[in-house]
Amino acid sequence: MPISRREFIKISAAGAVGFGVASAIEIPILENQISNERDQITALNNQVSTLQNQLSTTVQEQEAFLTLGVNEQKEVEAIVETIIPSDQNGLGAKEAGVIFFIDHQLAGDYGNNARMYMKGPFVLSGQTGPITVGGITYPQGSPVEPFTGPTYQYNLTLREFWRTGLLALEAYSNSVYGKNFEDLTTDQRTQILTDLYNNKPTSFNDIVPKDFFNELIFMTYSGFMMDPVYGGNNGMVGWILTGFTGANMGDSFNQGRNVLDLMVADKPTRFPPHSLGEFQKIMGEL
Amino acid sequence: MSQVIQHTPVDVVVLGMGAMSGTISVELVQAGYKVVGLERGPYWDYASDFYATKYDEWGIGYMRKFDHNLAVSTATLRNNRFQFALPVRRNTAPPGQIISEGYGVGGMAQHYGGVMGRFSPWVYQMYSQTVNRYGLDFLNAAVPHQDIIDWPMTYDDYVPYYEEWEKMWGVCGTNEGILPGFTNYSFPLPPSPTTPVAEAFKNAAESLGYHPYPVPHSLASKAFVNTYGVGVNECLYDGWCGGICNYVCETGAKANAAYRTVPAAQKSSNFDLRLNSYIFRLDTDNTGKVTAARYYDAQGNVHVQPGKVFFNGLWGFNLIKLMYYSNIGTPYDPATITGSLGRGPAMGVPGAVVRTATGTLENIGGNAYPAGNAFGGGYVMYDLADDYFDHTGLDFIGGAYVYFGLYLGGGPGNFLAFAGAPSPSMIGSNFKASLKDRFLPSKITLSIAPYGMWPPTTDWFIDLDPHYTDIYGDPLPRLTMDWGMNTVKCANYLAPKYAEILTKMGATNVTTSANVTTESHTATWPAHIRGGARAGSDQSTSVFNKWQQCWTCENLFAAGEATDATGSNTTTGGTHPAGAASYVAAEGIKKYLQSPGPLV
């Protein structure tokens, strides 16, 4: 049975009061009493400490891979920490657990294109010349698509798109620097990613390098900025950086602010972010 | 084993339970008619379904967990008819592609921004007023290949229907006038309290000689009971609202049919709402009338529901594609410029598409998050919209309204919408540093985007795609559309004026995005599509008449943005003007049931 913070304080306070009312005559008994209570507090401290350890074990268990292979893990970790590094402005994508966001998304609906239209034919965007599809010729090719999320006209689930792109990226890295991406310096990694953006690799396993670049940027920032429930944005580092308050509507930590006040306040107010999980926990306790 | 299930006839069969269908259902049920409502999705209970789980940008903005699943159906898009059209495979938050159709009772209004506002008299007579004031040569030069038609009635004719809609929907707004020059009526609910940034905009605009009004919107600024006796909660102002990611509302304050009209219809035993009902065909007889609606149920059974009148309340593309599937109307042929079905689509431009002005404001007050209720709490000015300014000497028609109020709606990943396309500059510490405090009110980057004019041309249309089908094997709708040079010229004219307003507000680093020189359209497409099944006075260019009754199929009625003859962007979307048209349709259906036949 875990001990609540309130009960812990109550027991500690009882020890202090016992000392305060003691007379000199009763000192031996009191010493015993204090000693007992000290043991009790020590035991409770240990218990709390054990619970904390269990908690951190639990968190680490959530930080497990469901789909990214061992080689892919190293590569994705290197990609995300290059895009959002740890620096003087705070922790980066690696520490935020962005790789777990990406892994969990690729293992689920996102990676399986569960909410995407996936019927053929598959025709790439931005083709300028005449193209013929299903017996019909289109003199002006296909339109250019918008950029966010990435242009997507592939006959691949996003999981397979990532597998294909990651393999091509390692191959390209080796062709340029003779090393895997994760073994490159930051400058070299940035150069490789920039090459993808510029479609410099001439062979990229049948996907357009820039499409993969867009996906990497999109998913890295998403993992850094979306609610921690998805496995990234650990410790809400992305929200602390940007000033987003999450599901804290102004009173999550008893700040006593209501949202209408905040909306019309003539001075800006900064307050800490709150995750969806914390919000629901508060709601449950009401 | 799926089977065909025949139902007994009713008076009115309502297809899709979105905003317009809600009006028809409650009006006809209360007039004593038997109504069946068909909806493919669920009936969301905001207090249970949305309350705890909506504060989730990834789930809402990117995975679209409360919206239509594109695996079922989507649309294909291209700039012109000489291109292959690509299907929208993936919904993302702006500025990506969006198929914004809704899912469930309430439809897309479950996730809209809630901006309201009537179309101006000029919009209703865009063709004739423009020609009268500037001449046909001016119009043809401004809008190459223009295909503009007047609405079947004037603004004055629509006013009583607007008022009915506003009282039912709970439109909030100023008592300073519905539109500039119209002061005899005020919206039923007051506007929301305004944000400090909105006040800064108002002061700057006024000092430049403009006339900002509190923006009309449909996010209940007060608890109220509407004209059908439906009680509505007051907005919470938590900021997780319309904005960029299109959040559902956890209190029902944001108006949609599920929390305004359908509950009233459900009080009557004359109303039969059938969920999980996917409409795919209308059967017609040899007189050209609809005899029954066909839909799939959850087990794949085919249901046949006969009726006297059918109301097509489906969203944009779907309203049109159902008519194609059912061989109702004359399909538009761009080679000969004949036919009316699929003809004349136009667009409401969602922000950041054509040109924007951007600047940084410091210590303006308020809070970026939570930051008010979607688009409520702001000001809008019409001075640069429609024909409120003289176009003599200019080379375009129309304009754009300027809205200012919210900081950023719902969620930090919005930066993808504001930072622009992914590029190598987004790698590393410099870009990360630029994100620091990006969403705090002490340092806010503000954009003004033109919600520009997008008048229809003969080059643009909606038809059925020859290559792609939905999950049931029916063709996807295909949209052929571009920016058009009128939109481009308009945006180029307005962007510097927006920069001037930002500068006046005290913003620093004010810049405008690059001058646009091509009409080729590569950004957000179909979020605010309108037209394609227009209501008009001439059946060679329109599908519906002034009673929203189909010219070629007298017992089929429709209302929605798809039936807009033309549009403008005095509102972001078109729910408000379409809502007025839904009351026209309700009256038309009642007339028809009393005395069947063409209603003109």
Side-chain angles (χ1 to χ4, degrees), chain A:
Chain A
M1 184 72 183
I3 185 160
S4 79
R5 186 163 173 272
R6 186 181 297 148
E7 283 163 335
F8 182 78
I9 291 166
K10 221 179 346 188
I11 293 163
S12 307
V17 169
F19 184 79
V21 297
S23 71
I25 299 161
E26 291 169 332
I27 279 172
I29 303 164
L30 185 62
E31 273 179 349
N32 281 340
Q33 193 186 331
I34 290 170
S35 171
N36 283 341
E37 285 177 351
R38 276 188 187 138
D39 289 348
Q40 236 181 317
I41 290 166
T42 307
L44 288 167
N45 273 333
N46 289 339
Q47 202 180 334
V48 169
S49 152
T50 308
L51 285 167
Q52 277 171 342
N53 288 338
Q54 282 171 1
L55 187 65
S56 65
T57 308
T58 309
V59 170
Q60 279 161 17
E61 279 175 13
Q62 287 169 343
E63 292 180 356
F65 292 99
L66 294 166
T67 184
L68 287 176
V70 176
N71 293 340
E72 289 176 320
Q73 290 167 22
K74 291 178 197 157
E75 190 182 354
V76 172
E77 195 78 295
I79 291 165
V80 302
E81 76 175 348
T82 305
I83 294 172
I84 312 176
S86 277
D87 56 21
Q88 70 277 10
N89 282 316
L91 297 174
K94 182 179 178 181
E95 294 74 13
V98 166
I99 194 169
F100 297 109
F101 171 86
I102 292 172
D103 177 84
H104 297 179
Q105 287 301 313
L106 292 180
D109 279 359
Y110 182 89
N112 289 295
N113 301 13
R115 296 181 64 80
M116 287 173 66
Y117 179 77
M118 286 307 294
K119 281 189 165 185
F122 293 89
V123 175
L124 287 181
S125 66
Q127 300 191 63
T128 51
I131 55 172
T132 300
V133 184
I136 304 174
T137 298
Y138 297 93
Q140 295 192 17
S142 61
V144 175
E145 283 187 295
F147 47 79
T148 307
T151 299
Y152 203 86
Q153 294 293 341
Y154 295 101
N155 187 19
L156 295 171
T157 64
L158 279 164
R159 175 65 186 97
E160 293 311 310
F161 179 73
W162 274 74
R163 191 190 313 283
T164 305
L166 289 171
L167 285 170
L169 177 58
E170 285 294 35
Y172 180 67
S173 174
N174 275 285
S175 75
V176 176
Y177 293 112
K179 286 180 182 173
N180 279 347
F181 183 84
E182 60 271 23
D183 296 327
L184 303 180
T185 66
T186 302
D187 285 350
Q188 289 170 329
R189 290 175 182 180
T190 304
Q191 187 57 51
I192 291 285
L193 293 174
T194 304
D195 287 352
L196 301 196
Y197 175 78
N198 292 318
N199 281 327
K200 205 170 163 193
T202 50
S203 165
F204 212 72
N205 288 352
D206 288 339
I207 64 177
V208 177
K210 188 177 178 179
D211 290 345
F212 191 57
F213 172 87
N214 286 347
E215 174 75 6
L216 294 176
I217 294 282
F218 173 69
M219 288 300 277
T220 301
Y221 278 102
S222 295
F224 193 64
M225 300 285 207
M226 298 299 150
D227 195 279
V229 72
Y230 291 107
N233 195 9
N234 204 353
M236 295 180 274
V237 293
W239 293 354
I240 290 164
L241 174 74
T242 53
F244 182 56
T245 53
N248 184 353
M249 311 304 170
D251 196 32
S252 286
F253 302 99
N254 298 316
Q255 292 105 323
R257 303 298 302 268
N258 77 56
V259 281
L260 189 52
D261 286 347
L262 291 166
M263 173 179 163
V264 300
D266 58 9
K267 287 198 175 60
T269 314
R270 180 192 286 260
F271 49 91
H274 220 169
S275 69
L276 185 64
E278 288 170 327
F279 172 80
Q280 291 176 3
K281 198 174 165 202
I282 287 175
M283 295 310 296
E285 283 179 1
L286 285 176

